[in-house]
Amino acid sequence: MIVRILGEGQYDVADGAVDRLNTLDAQVESAVEADDTDAFTAALGELLDVVRSVGVPHDAEAIDVSDVVLPPSDATLDEVRELLSDDGLIPG
């Protein structure tokens, strides 16, 4: 799966990491629904850190569509609220 972190780049993430990412995505979504800025900041930061640690930078020369687009680490709760779908930030 190709994951883009806005303003940062794309990462190739193995399918085996999807469950972990979905768990973290659910934490981000819960924090947004609760309007809890501190929990949101922590959950988003952890989600992005995991993508960076389990993912491999995608070839910058390749023009490939991202499967998932995540907000940057400095995104606000309101900005992420607008990005959320029924499946959270990560579909599935």
Side-chain angles (χ1 to χ4, degrees):
M1 160 173 44
I2 300 173
V3 178
R4 173 177 297 281
I5 299 175
L6 292 174
E8 187 171 322
Q10 292 177 306
Y11 293 85
D12 294 318
V13 176
D15 291 340
V18 172
D19 287 342
R20 184 173 179 198
L21 295 179
N22 279 327
T23 298
L24 295 170
D25 179 41
Q27 292 174 6
V28 171
E29 188 173 9
S30 292
V32 169
E33 289 173 0
D35 208 31
D36 185 337
T37 302
D38 292 336
F40 162 75
T41 301
L44 178 60
E46 186 174 358
L47 175 61
L48 298 179
D49 286 345
V50 168
V51 169
R52 293 179 192 114
S53 68
V54 302
V56 176
H58 191 72
D59 181 7
E61 299 298 317
I63 301 176
D64 296 312
V65 175
S66 302
D67 299 301
V68 174
V69 178
L70 298 176
S73 58
D74 63 350
T76 67
L77 195 141
D78 288 332
E79 289 169 337
V80 171
R81 183 177 286 120
E82 291 178 18
L83 294 175
L84 285 172
S85 69
D86 290 338
D87 286 335
L89 293 169
I90 301 173

